[in-house]
């Protein structure tokens, strides 16, 4: 669980996410990330949580909800492939999910609790996987992907969006 996944293990779209993940134990990386994200978001006021850096962009609450939704989907893919699923797993429309979710109407405390619950479930899932399960390959959204790559995608996706929160929301707000 300490080695980064290779480019052949995931679609090119995920390369940027995977490149953001530091070397080391993925369980520790995911645990540390969870604490960092909660620390950043939990100190924001209502104005900062509602801020959008451009027309059509998500609020911080929506970004946090998107991170959580995506992790839940990627964890499902991880579970499915680890258990030997041979059917292609579907993609999803992230914008439609955010639009439908109503994240801006939820208290940030609830969004953070949801994020933490999903992250802890992801960590427990990863801890439970055998070496054989960690090496499996499946198909998601029409592209081959390994369980190892999915762990890195989950971590990198969060880093990507946390960086956006810091750079585009907090530095201007």
């Amino acid at each position: 669980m300490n080695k980064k996944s290779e480019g052949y293990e995931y679609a090119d779209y995920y390369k940027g996410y995977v490149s953001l993940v530091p070397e080391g134990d993925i369980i520790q990386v995911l645990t540390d990330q969870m604490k960092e994200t909660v620390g950043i978001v939990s100190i924001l006021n209502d104005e900062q949580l509602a801020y959008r850096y451009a027309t059509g962009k998500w609020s911080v609450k929506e970004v946090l909800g998107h991170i959580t939704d995506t992790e839940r989907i990627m964890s499902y893919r991880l579970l499915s492939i680890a258990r030997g699923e041979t059917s292609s797993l579907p993609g999803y429309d992230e914008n439609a999910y955010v639009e439908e979710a109503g994240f801006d109407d939820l208290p940030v405390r609830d969004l953070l609790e949801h994020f933490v619950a999903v992250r802890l479930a992801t960590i427990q899932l990863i801890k439970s996987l055998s070496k054989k399960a960690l090496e499996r390959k499946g198909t998601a959204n029409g592209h081959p992907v390994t369980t190892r790559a999915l762990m890195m995608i989950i971590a990198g996706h969060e880093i990507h969006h946390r960086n956006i929160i810091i750079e585009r929301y907090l530095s201007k707000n």
Side-chain angles (χ1 to χ4, degrees):
M1 285 195 284
N2 295 334
K3 187 173 182 252
K4 274 195 177 183
S5 53
E6 304 293 333
Y8 64 85
E9 295 182 63
Y10 51 86
D12 285 343
Y13 173 79
Y14 295 115
K15 186 176 185 175
Y17 296 154
V18 173
S19 71
L20 293 172
V21 181
E23 292 290 335
D25 178 19
I26 192 64
I27 299 298
Q28 191 61 53
V29 169
L30 291 168
T31 301
D32 292 345
Q33 284 183 299
M34 176 181 64
K35 293 174 186 174
E36 290 171 30
T37 297
V38 169
I40 290 168
V41 174
S42 65
I43 62 171
L44 301 179
N45 62 39
D46 289 339
E47 182 180 337
Q48 291 170 310
L49 291 166
Y51 177 73
R52 297 165 192 274
Y53 68 88
T55 303
K57 295 299 181 181
W58 298 334
S59 68
V60 174
K61 283 182 165 184
E62 289 173 325
V63 172
L64 181 60
H66 164 70
I67 291 169
T68 305
D69 276 358
T70 299
E71 181 158 340
R72 186 182 299 276
I73 291 164
M74 294 298 172
S75 289
Y76 170 73
R77 290 174 179 178
L78 176 62
L79 171 68
S80 297
I81 293 168
R83 299 292 194 256
E85 181 62 65
T86 57
S87 297
S88 182
L89 301 168
Y92 74 106
D93 181 339
E94 63 187 35
N95 291 308
Y97 274 46
V98 169
E99 185 177 325
E100 189 63 33
F103 294 127
D104 281 335
D105 298 329
L106 299 173
V108 71
R109 179 188 73 252
D110 291 357
L111 291 168
L112 286 167
E113 286 176 4
H114 189 180
F115 166 69
V116 168
V118 170
R119 175 53 56 93
L120 291 174
T122 297
I123 289 169
Q124 286 307 117
L125 170 62
I126 293 168
K127 284 180 175 181
S128 75
L129 298 177
S130 68
K131 186 175 192 263
K132 183 177 178 182
L134 288 168
E135 296 171 354
R136 287 205 172 101
K137 183 186 262 187
T139 305
N141 200 23
H143 299 280
V145 66
T146 65
T147 53
R148 186 169 71 152
L150 285 162
M151 293 185 300
M152 298 300 150
I153 292 165
I154 289 167
H157 180 259
E158 182 187 346
I159 294 168
H160 166 77
H161 284 290
R162 185 173 356 107
N163 288 344
I164 289 175
I165 289 171
I166 292 167
E167 294 165 10
R168 297 185 187 165
Y169 292 80
L170 302 185
S171 67
K172 309 291 188 229
N173 194 334

